[in-house]
């Protein structure tokens, strides 16, 4: 690994200032389960690595029955996966966190790190999309939130500017009837990256569905929502024919590549199958 | 086995505590004062002409001590990798000369004061290439338009009747093997049904957990010492000697604890470079391969494409079998292509013909991997046999039993009569344990069965067993323990001499101190070294008894060794006059007496050269559940049966059966070195998949004991067979679950989905 400056801020403001100082050649470090590997492989060569582990303000999961859930940037996937509120109210997120890597990886890796690595196959990203997540961003001068759906711009790329840091993720309070489902299509049961990830959230109502979200992973340059398919699904009773159309629309939203993990054909077919399966499960 | 006190007992492994606590010292844990680190420039291209190598920038980096290229060496410097156990040999120049023939081929070596500086220097070396067309698939390499990969490649006539016959000639052939018995054409004419298929088996890496590592030091006198992870310290010694022209007697090799080898750590790979750099720099040099280097420049198992054709009658009589195997050797010969002959298997098939070819491709050379060649050849053979059973509507176990050889039958391949084989019994034992004949058909569930035969080797070696002055035993040899053999050898010595297993220490020497020992592979160790230890222990026992007879003033014949416990429950091994405990001497007393007696401490020696072994089979039954929409498969159950001759230690036997089956599952299900235009696509373990513990079922192992005449206490060599049958058992289970045959390995979810898709499109599903 190349030589770099290792910085340990204790406040968010300090971290932002350090990141601003080094501009695009600085990288925040959370659990390091992506960053260190990319550095070791020479894929990224930051001049400065800004470790976030000492920032007290970036710890913890907050739940407010009115405002919803806030997961700070320092929260590990293991904390997400085992948190009672998340398991009860956001089960798709708990499932998604639980299928990342292995326990060891999840004890180190963070939810926000998964988001900020901006990999299209990130397991928790479809869940954050389907749950209408918001990303909290701090910079030396301001802090603001944007929808998760607007966060990524391409594989490994996001809207963050030099000096900006993600401080956490917010999820709105789920309605009592909201049901969610996440399926990771992989060869192994652990330590594997998704060939396809499908997360569906909806409120079932007598064979039809409201507030439908269909979020897809590993089938386009970023995780994305199949918005046309969502609209189709909200139009009335979901018959078999209708389910077919929804699945087709979900497939149409994708632009997968063929790589060592899976072919584009297979990925497309699986988006269709898994979307059908999601609706069948959630409407049952 | 009531007749034994220590043999057959599941005693814990002697190396377990050190490994579990992290105390074991692997090669990468060795650090010497003043040590340098070496690394390599590997070719990024699979096939290219080297136009220019510029090391000037790298040389200027502070901390860089030495850079070597082939220019600095002169032409003759080649690396000889010899696997004495499997009779495999690879020869390759130390660095690429003018042309690189695989991605990963070494172009230069750098030596620096830290691994970081070394890496920077490697990156600073500029190499200009002129790219040449590359071939990564054997079916492409044999075609007339394929680039010729090496000047010595032969062009041979394509065998008739096979799917590639229309090519007329095969290009890029580097090895050939042919065999025929009986008359296949007449056999096919007699058949009711002909079943043929092409079976593609990918190249896989041995994926030992510990990449290659070594440290070399050269003393001012020129004496070389190498600390390394290897299956054979003696093969490293001869490999370094022949690669660099150093007399063997000037080299000492110290074997560290090994983190797996599976056949991939026999000969030299990084060792001559460390020695060479230590010679030129005068400082110790350390090399530790990364996983990526293992994948790009290791010596994996060859892939193969095998066509098999079988003629069979409706009553289950196999009338003829023919095969053509195309083995992916990479850029040098060396693949075990004769394993195409597995179409004979352990069956009484009369009409057989096979033609096997080693084919050059732009990939690294290959080496052994657990039963080299057998998983590939047996997969094609057994998968095809299962398809035969399906074609005539016969139970696949019944079909095998009907055709299987037994004691007294002559083997088709060499006409040798079989003895002490238990093929049918082994298969039936698996069937019984699994409940094969009572199985129920559940939706999306499938069962599969296959067998894998292996004829283990034997290798020379000797061992020394010493009665220590406290009455305990020391077993000393030069054998590397890759599978728990230290524990087994300790048990053998304890049994023979008559001491509890806790009273034996097994010590490994280096090549300077230990007598020669065969390499640890080919399932030879417990058979061969076990015999050497047994004989050494017997030799010691004779000397002990003679001394005891003298001491107790009686004859040797009237003595017996006893290991009865005293009042406190402590076992005090001793020798006594038969049935007369009051006239006895403890081993500790004997050891002390020996120290005061002419002849001195009691030392037994034993040797073993070569003795015939017996073929045996591993039979396996697997049950799977397949999600027909996604192709995702779950292994519900795996039952394995094996004839082990004698289980010295049931834990170790089960460990071998589980480990082999796991590797077989992996090869059949998810493991594959993927290539595109000569480049490997999955050089990291994230995408080079092997199963995690969560993916595995509890593996049920049953073993039979039909003792071999020559193994110690009847031992047969059993380390390799359990990997052999698994892929073919899986192939049938997938078919049973889905109706689709997935002939190309590994049967990933996508491949299963594709096969189902094809079936549906054709209206079969
Ligand atoms: C063996 C293994 C298995 C894995 N398996 C999976 C898997 O199954 N599924 C999966 O989705 N992932 C997997 N991963 C990837 C990784 O573990 C996850 O993406 C993890 O969530 C990353 O979190 P981290 O805290 O380690 O991030 P880091 O590596 O610390 O950071 C990741 C990226 O985000 C940036 N970053 C981190 N925090 C912030 C912040 N607050 N603001 C702005 N940028 C930030 C970093 O600069 C870096 O670019 C695996 C990794 C390994 C090594």
């Amino acid at each position: 690994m190349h030589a770099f400056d290792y910085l340990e801020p204790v406040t968010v403001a300090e971290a932002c200032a350090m990141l601003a100082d080094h501009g695009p050649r600085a990288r925040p470090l959370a659990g390091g389960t992506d960053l260190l590997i990319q550095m070791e492989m020479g894929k990224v060569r930051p001049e400065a690595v800004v470790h976030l582990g000492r920032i007290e303000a970036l710890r913890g999961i907050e739940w407010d029955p009115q405002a919803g859930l806030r997961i700070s940037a320092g929260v590990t996937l293991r904390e997400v996966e085992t948190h009672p509120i998340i398991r009860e109210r956001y089960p798709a997120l708990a499932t998604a966190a639980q299928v990342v890597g292995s326990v060891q990886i999840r004890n180190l890796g963070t939810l926000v790190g998964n988001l900020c690595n901006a990999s299209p196959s990130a397991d928790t990203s479809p869940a954050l999309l389907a749950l209408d997540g918001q990303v909290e961003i701090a910079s030396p001068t301001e802090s603001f939130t944007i929808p998760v759906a607007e966060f990524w711009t391409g594989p490994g790329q996001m809207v963050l500017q030099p000096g900006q840091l993600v401080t956490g993720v917010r999820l709105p309070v789920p309605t009592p009837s909201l049901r969610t489902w996440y399926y990771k299509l992989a060869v192994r049961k652990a330590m594997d990256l998704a060939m396809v990830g499908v997360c569906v959230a909806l409120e079932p109502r007598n064979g039809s569905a409201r507030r439908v979200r269909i979020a897809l992973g590993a089938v386009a340059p970023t995780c994305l929502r199949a918005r046309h398919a969502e609209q189709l699904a909200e139009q009335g009773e979901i018959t078999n024919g209708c389910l077919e159309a929804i699945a087709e629309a979900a497939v149409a939203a994708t632009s997968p590549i063929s790589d060592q993990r899976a072919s584009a054909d297979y990925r497309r077919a699986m988006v269709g199958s898994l979307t059908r399966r999601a609706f069948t499960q959630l409407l049952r | 086995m009531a007749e034994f006190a220590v043999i057959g007992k599941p005693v814990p492994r002697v190396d377990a505590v050190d490994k579990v606590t992290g105390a074991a010292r692997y090669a990468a844990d060795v650090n010497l004062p003043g040590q340098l680190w070496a690394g390599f420039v590997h070719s990024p291209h699979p096939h290219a002409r080297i136009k220019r190598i510029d090391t000037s920038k790298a040389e200027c980096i502070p901390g860089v001590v030495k850079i070597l290229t082939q220019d600095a060496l002169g032409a003759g410097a080649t690396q000889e990798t010899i696997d004495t156990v499997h009779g495999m040999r690879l020869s390759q120049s130390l660095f690429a000369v003018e042309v690189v023939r695989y991605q990963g081929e070494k172009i230069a070596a750098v030596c620096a004061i830290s691994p970081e500086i070394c890496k920077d220097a490697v990156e600073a070396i500029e190499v200009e290439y002129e790219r040449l067309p590359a071939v990564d698939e054997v079916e492409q390499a044999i075609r007339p338009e394929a680039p010729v990969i090496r000047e010595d490649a032969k062009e041979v006539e394509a065998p008739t009747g096979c799917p590639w016959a229309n090519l007329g000639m095969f290009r890029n052939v580097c090895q050939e093997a042919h065999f025929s018995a009986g008359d296949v054409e007449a056999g096919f004419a007699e058949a009711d049904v002909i079943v043929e298929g092409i079976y593609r088996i990918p190249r896989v890496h041995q994926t030992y957990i510990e990449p290659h590592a070594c440290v070399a030091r050269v003393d001012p006198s020129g004496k070389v010492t190498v600390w390394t992870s290897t299956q054979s310290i003696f093969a490293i010694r001869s490999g370094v000697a022949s690669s660099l022209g150093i007399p063997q007697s000037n080299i000492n090799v110290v074997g560290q604890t090994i983190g797996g080898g599976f056949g991939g750590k026999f000969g030299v790979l990084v060792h001559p470079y460390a020695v060479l750099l230590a010679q030129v720099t005068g400082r110790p040099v350390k090399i530790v391969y990364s996983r990526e280097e293992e994948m790009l420049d290791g010596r994996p198992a060859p892939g193969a494409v095998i066509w098999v054709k079988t003629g069979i009658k409706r009553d289950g009589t196999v009338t003829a079998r023919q095969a053509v195997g195309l083995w992916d050797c990479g850029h040098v010969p060396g693949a075990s292509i004769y394993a195409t002959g597995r179409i004979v298997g352990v069956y009484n098939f009369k009409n057989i013909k096979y033609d096997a070819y080693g084919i050059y491709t732009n990939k690294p050379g290959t080496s052994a991997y657990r039963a080299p060649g057998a998983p590939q050849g047996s997969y094609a053979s057994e998968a095809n046999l299962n398809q035969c059973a399906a074609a005539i509507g016969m139970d696949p176990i019944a079909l095998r039993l009907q055709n299987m050889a037994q004691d007294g039958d002559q083997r088709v391949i060499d006409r040798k009569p079989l003895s002490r084989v238990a093929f049918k019994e082994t298969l039936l034992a698996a069937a019984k344990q699994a409940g094969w004949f009572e199985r129920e058909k559940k939706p999306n569930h499938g069962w599969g069965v296959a067998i894998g035969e292996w004829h283990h080797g034997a290798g020379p070696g000797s061992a020394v067993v010493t009665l220590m002055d406290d009455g305990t035993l020391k077993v000393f040899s030069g054998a590397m323990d890759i599978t728990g053999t230290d524990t087994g050898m300790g048990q053998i010595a304890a049994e023979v001499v008559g001491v509890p297993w806790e009273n034996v220490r097994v010590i490994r020497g280096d090549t300077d101190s230990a007598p020669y020992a065969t390499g640890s592979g080919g399932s030879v160790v417990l058979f061969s070294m076990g015999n050497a230890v047994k004989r050494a222990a017997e030799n010691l026992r004779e000397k002990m008894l003679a001394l005891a007879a003298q001491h107790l003033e009686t004859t040797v014949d009237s003595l017996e060794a006893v290991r009865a416990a005293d009042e406190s429950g402590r076992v005090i091994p001793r020798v006594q006059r038969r049935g007369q405990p009051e006239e006895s001497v403890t081993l500790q007393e004997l050891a002390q007496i020996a120290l005061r007696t002419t002849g001195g401490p009691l030392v037994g020696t034993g040797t073993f050269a070569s003795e015939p072994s017996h073929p045996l089979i591993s039979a396996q039954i697997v049950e799977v559940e397949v999600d027909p929409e996604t192709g995702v498969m779950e292994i519900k159950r795996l039952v394995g049966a094996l004839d082990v001759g004698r289980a010295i230690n049931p834990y170790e036997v089960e460990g071998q059966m589980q480990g082999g089956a796991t590797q077989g599952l992996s090869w059949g299900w998810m493991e594959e070195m993927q290539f595109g235009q000569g480049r490997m696509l999955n050089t990291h373990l994230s995408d080079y998949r092997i199963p995690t513990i969560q993916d595995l079922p509890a593996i049920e192992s049953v073993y039979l004991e039909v003792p071999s005449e020559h193994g110690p206490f009847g031992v047969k060599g059993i380390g390799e067979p359990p990997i052999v049958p698994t892929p073919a058992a899986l192939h049938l289970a997938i078919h049973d679950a889905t109706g689709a045959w997935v002939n190309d390995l590994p049967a990933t979810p996508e491949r299963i989905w594709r096969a189902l898709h094809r079936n549906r499109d054709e209206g079969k599903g």
Side-chain angles (χ1 to χ4, degrees):
Chain A
M1 202 184 285
H2 70 290
F4 53 88
D5 286 341
Y6 180 73
L7 307 173
E8 280 199 335
V10 292
T11 65
V12 170
E14 211 185 328
C16 290
M18 288 169 173
L19 289 169
D21 269 1
H22 289 267
R25 284 182 295 275
R27 276 296 183 113
L29 170 72
T33 60
D34 279 316
L35 186 62
L36 292 186
I37 287 167
Q38 291 159 8
M39 286 167 62
E40 174 66 28
M41 286 164 61
K43 283 190 182 164
V44 294
R45 295 174 160 266
E47 261 172 23
V49 170
V50 181
H51 183 219
L52 308 177
R54 292 193 183 272
I55 306 176
E56 211 50 58
L58 293 184
R59 302 230 174 103
I61 298 172
E62 292 151 42
W63 164 248
D64 179 322
Q66 265 74 52
L69 190 73
R70 183 177 175 279
I71 302 173
S72 295
V75 171
T76 65
L77 291 162
R78 186 71 173 161
E79 288 173 79
V80 171
E81 158 198 359
T82 53
H83 195 271
I85 298 285
I86 298 179
R87 290 172 78 101
E88 187 193 323
R89 308 221 176 202
Y90 306 91
L93 180 61
T95 307
Q98 194 179 354
V99 295
V100 173
S102 62
V103 176
Q104 292 91 328
I105 293 293
R106 303 198 292 274
N107 273 333
L108 267 179
T110 59
L111 178 75
V112 167
N114 200 218
L115 173 83
C116 293
N117 190 50
S119 161
S121 67
D123 275 308
T124 59
S125 294
L128 294 183
L129 276 176
L131 294 166
D132 290 337
Q134 297 272 326
V135 186
E136 259 183 29
I137 298 171
S139 76
T141 52
E142 53 169 352
S143 65
F144 55 96
T145 63
I146 62 164
V148 168
E150 290 165 25
F151 184 67
W152 306 291
T153 56
Q157 318 235 287
M158 54 216 150
V159 296
L160 288 186
Q161 297 298 314
Q164 291 184 341
L165 183 73
V166 173
T167 50
V169 172
R170 288 176 187 277
L171 298 177
V173 180
T175 55
S177 63
L178 186 75
R179 299 193 63 196
T180 61
W181 186 87
Y182 177 65
Y183 188 92
K184 172 184 190 169
L185 181 69
V187 178
R188 295 191 283 205
K189 286 189 184 152
M191 297 296 274
D192 209 353
L193 297 173
M195 297 186 282
V196 171
V198 174
C199 189
V200 175
L202 53 77
E203 293 170 11
R205 192 135 324 170
N206 306 326
S208 63
R210 302 219 307 210
R211 195 213 161 272
V212 177
R213 300 285 182 276
I214 303 172
L216 307 172
V219 287
T222 66
C223 289
L224 52 80
R225 276 174 55 185
R227 290 185 194 260
H228 180 54
E230 292 173 359
Q231 284 158 13
L232 288 179
E234 286 173 353
Q235 272 165 12
E237 196 192 338
I238 299 178
T239 59
N240 278 346
C242 184
L243 189 49
E244 227 25 71
I246 296 168
E248 265 172 42
V251 174
T254 67
S255 49
I257 53 165
S258 292
D259 64 10
Q260 70 277 13
R261 259 165 245 157
S263 71
D265 275 359
Y266 180 59
R267 287 189 156 113
R268 266 190 291 267
M270 290 306 103
V271 167
S273 296
L274 295 172
T275 303
R276 275 192 297 272
R277 189 175 291 186
F279 278 86
T280 315
Q281 301 265 336
L282 293 174
L283 294 175
R284 198 163 49 195
Chain B
M1 293 297 123
E3 50 187 304
F4 297 121
V6 186
I7 300 291
K9 300 284 179 292
V11 314
R13 275 177 80 133
V14 296
D15 51 339
V17 172
D18 277 358
K19 281 182 173 162
V20 171
T21 57
R25 300 225 332 140
Y26 295 85
D29 296 327
V30 176
N31 289 298
L32 300 180
Q35 156 188 299
L36 301 172
W37 293 76
F40 298 101
V41 177
H42 297 279
S43 168
H45 303 298
H47 201 187
R49 196 172 298 287
I50 303 170
K51 307 277 281 184
R52 186 177 62 91
I53 304 176
D54 183 353
T55 57
S56 53
K57 278 194 194 131
E59 277 159 27
C60 296
I61 297 176
V64 172
V65 179
K66 186 74 198 171
I67 297 174
L68 281 180
T69 61
Q70 187 74 21
D71 275 355
L73 293 181
T78 58
Q79 173 168 330
E80 306 290 333
T81 308
I82 304 157
D83 169 351
T84 46
V85 170
H86 300 104
M88 296 167 83
R89 183 190 196 100
L90 277 187
S91 177
Q92 171 177 349
S93 60
L94 282 183
F95 297 104
V97 186
E98 287 166 38
V99 174
V100 291
R101 291 192 177 81
Y102 65 93
Q103 178 199 14
E105 188 163 1
K106 296 182 192 78
I107 299 206
V110 177
C111 190
I113 57 171
S114 77
E116 291 79 16
I117 295 173
C118 189
K119 201 168 175 191
D120 285 349
V122 163
E123 285 170 23
I125 292 175
E126 290 169 16
V127 187
E128 196 185 311
Y129 301 92
E130 176 194 328
R131 298 194 54 185
L132 300 168
V135 192
D136 52 30
E137 296 301 334
V138 286
E139 285 162 289
Q140 297 303 318
I142 58 171
R143 300 185 66 84
E145 67 274 16
V148 174
I149 292 166
R150 233 177 232 291
E151 298 70 46
D152 64 359
K154 284 179 282 183
E155 206 158 326
V156 306
E157 213 169 302
T160 52
C162 78
W164 308 284
N166 61 343
L167 294 177
M169 303 293 279
F170 287 170
R171 228 175 205 202
N172 281 312
V173 173
C174 62
Q175 282 170 271
E176 285 180 72
H178 305 278
F179 176 85
S180 112
D183 181 344
V184 281
E185 287 316 320
F188 287 133
E190 255 182 78
D192 294 326
V193 184
I194 301 284
V195 178
E196 61 181 307
I198 298 179
Y199 305 87
R200 294 187 181 83
I201 303 106
R203 180 176 266 242
V204 297
H205 192 278
Q206 296 86 351
T207 328
Y208 27 76
I209 199 164
E210 176 207 25
H212 273 85
C214 78
V215 178
R217 188 185 68 200
V218 181
D219 294 343
S221 66
K223 173 84 193 185
V224 174
T225 309
V226 180
W227 290 261
T228 191
S229 164
T230 179
Q231 293 176 241
S232 172
I233 50 179
F234 294 94
I236 297 297
R237 185 179 64 168
S238 61
V240 169
S242 62
S243 299
L244 302 177
I246 304 171
Q248 257 189 212
S249 55
N250 249 5
I251 303 168
N252 184 28
V253 179
V254 185
Q256 300 295 128
T257 302
I258 184 169
F262 306 110
K265 285 191 190 155
F266 259 103
V268 291
L269 186 69
V270 292
H271 315 80
Y273 303 89
V275 173
L276 193 57
L277 286 164
Q279 282 179 325
V280 295
T281 62
R283 292 168 67 173
V285 173
K286 177 169 187 169
I287 300 179
V288 180
Y289 252 13
S290 66
R291 182 63 59 180
E292 189 174 24
E293 284 179 301
E294 278 290 346
M295 289 295 179
L296 295 179
D297 193 24
R299 301 292 176 263
V305 177
I306 303 174
W307 165 79
V308 180
K309 177 179 175 183
T310 305
I312 188 165
K313 288 193 184 161
R314 298 225 169 267
D315 68 2
T317 311
V318 171
T319 57
R321 291 196 102 184
Q322 187 182 354
V324 173
L326 305 174
W327 294 72
D328 176 0
C329 289
H331 75 125
V332 283
S336 12
I337 65 170
Y338 55 84
T340 311
R342 297 269 155 172
I343 52 165
V344 184
V346 293
Y347 305 106
N348 287 323
F349 300 151
K350 296 284 175 279
N351 303 311
I352 293 285
K353 179 176 190 304
Y354 78 77
D355 300 281
Y357 304 90
I359 308 294
Y360 280 142
T361 58
N362 290 109
K363 293 181 191 164
T366 60
S367 68
Y369 176 36
R370 207 168 193 152
Q376 298 95 316
S378 298
Y379 168 66
S381 171
E382 288 283 300
N384 177 269
L385 208 56
N386 281 333
Q387 290 176 306
C388 289
I392 59 166
M394 190 167 176
D395 178 86
I397 291 186
L399 174 65
R400 285 181 173 81
L401 291 173
Q402 182 176 329
N403 288 285
M404 227 170 220
Q406 56 196 17
D407 277 7
D409 289 348
Q410 280 185 358
R411 296 203 305 182
V412 177
I413 291 271
D414 55 14
R415 302 258 158 249
K416 282 205 186 120
L418 293 168
S419 73
R420 301 196 179 213
V421 298
F423 304 147
K424 292 182 182 176
E425 295 79 356
T426 307
L427 178 55
L428 283 168
K432 181 160 177 255
Q433 172 71 22
W436 173 268
F437 293 108
E438 300 83 43
R439 69 193 188 280
E440 279 166 30
K441 181 72 195 133
K442 286 189 262 175
N444 301 325
H445 276 246
W447 289 56
V449 62
I451 61 156
E453 126 219 40
W454 185 248
H455 201 151
H456 67 93
S462 96
V464 179
V465 180
T466 308
L467 181 66
M468 305 300 277
D469 41 356
D470 62 354
T472 63
L473 299 186
K474 179 179 82 177
V475 174
F476 180 72
S477 83
M480 297 301 300
D481 180 6
I482 60 170
T483 53
T485 46
D486 277 358
T487 310
M489 295 195 306
Q491 285 179 265
I492 289 174
E495 182 71 46
V496 171
V497 178
V499 302
W501 61 268
E502 295 94 330
N503 290 16
V504 184
R505 296 239 299 145
V506 182
I507 308 287
R508 179 173 55 247
D510 50 33
T511 56
D512 267 359
S513 63
Y516 185 87
T518 181
S520 297
S523 306
V524 308
V525 183
L526 209 54
F527 184 82
S528 307
M529 293 306 294
N531 259 324
V533 169
K534 180 163 180 272
R535 289 165 194 176
E538 286 163 353
N539 182 231
L540 172 67
R541 190 170 190 273
E542 273 170 34
K543 293 182 181 175
M544 270 170 41
L545 291 178
L547 188 62
Q550 211 181 329
H551 177 71
L552 297 172
E553 295 175 352
T554 178
T555 60
V556 168
D557 293 347
S558 63
L559 291 177
E560 63 180 350
V562 290
R563 55 190 119 199
D566 65 7
E567 313 81 58
S568 65
R570 219 155 54 98
V571 177
I572 312 277
R574 56 178 197 269
V575 176
Q576 67 182 36
R577 221 175 170 138
R578 190 163 293 110
Q580 288 172 284
E582 61 286 358
E583 281 188 60
S584 77
V585 54
T586 67
L587 261 51
Q588 186 174 3
E589 286 162 354
L590 258 187
Q592 294 296 332
I593 295 164
L595 296 184
R596 302 191 297 269
T597 311
T598 309
L602 295 176
V603 180
T605 59
T607 63
F608 179 86
S610 178
E611 273 164 43
S613 59
H614 298 266
L616 55 96
I617 66 161
S618 156
Q620 286 173 0
I621 290 173
V622 322
E623 187 191 352
V624 304
E625 183 177 3
V626 179
D627 179 337
E629 280 180 63
T630 59
V632 169
M633 176 160 66
E634 182 151 355
I635 314 293
K636 306 302 274 186
R637 220 177 148 197
L638 193 150
V639 172
L642 188 66
D643 166 24
V644 304
R646 170 83 64 210
I648 298 292
N649 186 328
Y651 275 169
E652 302 306 330
V653 166
E654 279 183 41
Q656 290 304 304
M657 292 176 73
Q658 292 169 357
T662 301
Q663 289 174 318
L665 275 179
S666 184
W667 207 339
W669 182 14
M670 58 178 77
E671 186 174 356
E672 165 178 32
M673 297 175 92
Q674 293 176 278
F675 291 86
Q677 274 134 30
R679 284 208 167 71
M680 190 175 167
L681 305 174
N682 54 342
T683 55
H684 294 271
L685 292 177
S686 49
D687 286 318
Y688 183 88
R689 297 187 188 96
I690 57 173
T692 70
I693 198 72
Q694 289 188 34
D695 299 300
L696 297 173
I699 295 172
E700 299 164 50
S701 304
V702 283
Y703 59 85
L704 293 78
E705 294 184 309
V706 179
S708 129
E709 286 147 306
H710 301 284
F713 299 102
V715 161
K716 291 175 177 171
I718 56 101
E720 288 163 299
I723 190 179
V724 182
T726 331
L730 213 49
H731 173 257
L732 176 58
I734 294 167
H735 178 261
D736 193 31
T738 66
W741 294 113
V742 185
N743 285 2
D744 294 353
L745 300 184
T748 57
E750 177 162 354
R751 283 220 175 87
I752 294 176
W753 172 81
R754 274 186 195 287
L756 280 170
H757 218 62
R758 198 172 56 226
N759 269 8
R760 271 193 212 120
D761 291 349
E762 292 163 6
K764 284 196 236 154

